[in-house]
Amino acid sequence: MDQKALEQTIIKTLGDNKFGSFGTIEAGNKPKVRYMAVFHEGLNIYLATDRKTHKVEELQDNPHVFLLLGYEQGGGKDVLEIEANAAVTKDDGLRAKVWNESLEKWFSGPEDPDYVILELTPTRMEYMGQNKEHGVWQAPSPV
């Protein structure tokens, strides 16, 4: 699979999976994984969360994260493993873009001061299709 086709397949897989297993490193250098709603625009990946959560604290110490998508009930059967760096942002434009009704359970609206976005910058993504397709995407090396 060439790079362009792989990127399009990854974008489709991101769209097919509304939830993923999100991993961080907590105190004591131990992994911590939790389910989170996944939003994306192309290869840009976003997770909405409360600024007072442990995951936000953990990202201050270690921004390296892992997101596993696929093979879940209601999702696609393809699997996507994503290694990324995460940044916590309160960018109003991004908060408005990610906002949807499902977040009303936790936040009063996109202006809620506790509502933040985890912006994931993928460094490596490995795609494994249900029909044995496989591809590895690597972020371009910084110049």
Side-chain angles (χ1 to χ4, degrees):
M1 185 176 321
D2 71 22
Q3 191 72 7
K4 195 69 173 163
L6 177 58
E7 286 181 10
Q8 292 306 310
T9 300
I10 288 170
I11 290 168
K12 181 183 180 321
T13 303
L14 284 165
D16 289 345
N17 293 277
K18 302 303 180 205
F19 297 94
S21 299
F22 178 65
T24 58
I25 302 298
E26 64 181 3
N29 218 20
K30 296 180 182 176
K32 173 74 176 190
V33 178
R34 73 281 280 161
Y35 288 111
M36 293 193 68
V38 177
F39 307 91
H40 79 99
E41 186 174 65
L43 295 176
N44 299 312
I45 303 166
Y46 310 108
L47 310 175
T49 194
D50 190 308
R51 70 176 175 83
K52 297 180 281 188
T53 59
H54 290 292
K55 68 182 93 48
V56 170
E57 291 174 17
E58 293 159 3
L59 293 173
Q60 291 171 357
D61 293 331
N62 188 337
H64 302 286
V65 298
F66 194 90
L67 183 63
L68 176 63
L69 301 175
Y71 214 72
E72 64 186 62
Q73 185 174 354
K77 299 302 179 205
D78 298 341
V79 174
L80 187 58
E81 297 177 353
I82 302 168
E83 296 173 21
N85 291 310
V88 180
T89 181
K90 289 182 82 172
D91 175 89
D92 289 336
L94 189 53
R95 291 177 353 144
K97 187 185 301 187
V98 171
W99 181 261
N100 67 63
E101 287 180 7
S102 69
L103 298 172
E104 291 175 355
K105 292 186 234 177
W106 297 281
F107 306 105
S108 60
E111 301 82 22
D112 188 317
D114 291 331
Y115 169 57
V116 296
I117 304 298
L118 304 182
E119 191 170 3
L120 276 57
T121 302
T123 55
R124 182 181 187 277
M125 295 187 275
E126 186 167 357
Y127 169 80
M128 291 151 288
Q130 59 184 326
N131 296 320
K132 301 194 191 261
E133 306 93 344
H134 181 263
V136 175
W137 178 93
Q138 293 275 152
S141 299
V143 177

